């Protein structure tokens, strides 16, 4: 009977953590003052113990970064005179890079749902990145470097599931 109780507690803890991730996500989307919550969500995404919480965290980060691209916070603004805003933008871009690296790493996961979810999010991020570049330059520019990194990750993946390919 003890193993069943342990399994129940693990599920409850995973659900509580997933709920916390959603609260952090809501706070980030509501106010830029809560951008540090991205680090907390990222830390949950990196934990390899529970697939469900990692999946919830990478999806939350995907929604956050999509919103940040839409708001133009991830685009480089050369005309900006606000040093603080530039530092925030640099920090966000750095975290975005770590997020896409994490997703490319998840393409090598043993879990097919994580592989497919990571690929889906990487393709969405390519679209948002291209649109973000277009907003700042008024010319569409495909994010070639990001796309090539994605293709390399898929082709170099020895653990690719049939669902990924």
């Amino acid at each position: 009977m003890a193993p069943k109780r342990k399994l129940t507690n693990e599920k409850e803890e995973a659900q509580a953590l997933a709920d916390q991730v959603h609260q952090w996500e809501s706070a980030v989307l509501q106010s830029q003052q809560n951008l540090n919550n991205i680090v907390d969500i990222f830390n949950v995404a990196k934990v390899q113990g529970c697939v469900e919480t990692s999946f919830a965290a990478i999806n939350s980060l995907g929604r956050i970064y999509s919103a940040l691209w839409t708001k133009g916070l991830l685009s480089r603004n050369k005309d900006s005179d606000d040093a603080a805003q530039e530092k925030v933008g640099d920090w966000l871009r750095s975290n975005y890079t770590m997020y896409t690296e994490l997703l490319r790493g998840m393409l090598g996961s043993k879990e097919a749902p994580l592989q497919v979810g990571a690929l889906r999010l990487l393709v969405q991020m390519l679209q948002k990145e291209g649109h973000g570049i277009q907003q700042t330059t008024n010319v569409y520019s495909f994010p070639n470097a990001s796309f090539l990194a994605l293709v390399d990750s898929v082709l170099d993946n020895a653990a690719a599931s049939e669902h990924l390919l």
Side-chain angles (χ1 to χ4, degrees):
M1 193 99 179
K4 188 174 184 179
R5 180 173 286 169
K6 183 178 178 186
L7 183 62
T8 303
N9 287 340
E10 288 175 3
K11 283 186 177 184
E12 289 172 357
E13 289 174 14
Q15 184 60 47
L17 190 54
D19 291 343
Q20 181 64 52
V21 165
H22 290 299
Q23 289 175 1
W24 287 329
E25 175 190 354
S26 294
V28 170
L29 293 175
Q30 288 174 4
S31 172
Q32 287 186 30
Q33 293 177 342
N34 298 315
L35 289 174
N36 284 334
N37 288 349
I38 291 173
V39 175
D40 296 324
I41 299 170
F42 189 78
N43 288 334
V44 171
K46 289 191 303 187
V47 174
Q48 298 183 5
C50 184
V51 174
E52 290 84 5
T53 55
S54 291
F55 196 74
I58 65 168
N59 279 298
S60 286
L61 288 169
R63 288 186 292 272
I64 288 168
Y65 285 117
S66 291
L68 294 175
W69 274 115
T70 301
K71 293 177 184 177
L73 295 175
L74 288 170
S75 301
R76 290 200 183 274
N77 189 356
K78 295 177 183 176
D79 298 333
S80 177
D81 292 333
D82 188 1
Q85 192 65 31
E86 276 301 308
K87 279 190 174 197
V88 170
D90 290 343
W91 182 82
L92 286 170
R93 284 186 291 280
S94 172
N95 279 286
Y96 175 74
T97 300
M98 290 190 310
Y99 171 63
T100 57
E101 288 170 359
L102 175 68
L103 289 176
R104 287 194 303 272
M106 286 183 167
L107 292 174
S109 170
K110 295 175 189 172
E111 301 287 336
L114 269 182
Q115 290 178 357
V116 173
L119 180 62
R120 179 184 56 81
L121 286 166
L122 282 164
V123 171
Q124 283 180 349
M125 292 300 108
L126 282 174
Q127 177 196 17
K128 294 296 182 179
E129 192 173 338
H131 185 71
I133 294 168
Q134 182 181 11
Q135 283 181 318
T136 57
T137 63
N138 292 327
V139 176
Y140 183 78
S141 177
F142 188 77
N144 288 322
S146 299
F147 179 70
L148 289 175
L150 168 60
V151 170
D152 284 343
S153 296
V154 171
L155 294 178
D156 290 342
N157 188 354
S161 68
E162 63 183 46
H163 301 288
L164 183 63
L165 302 174

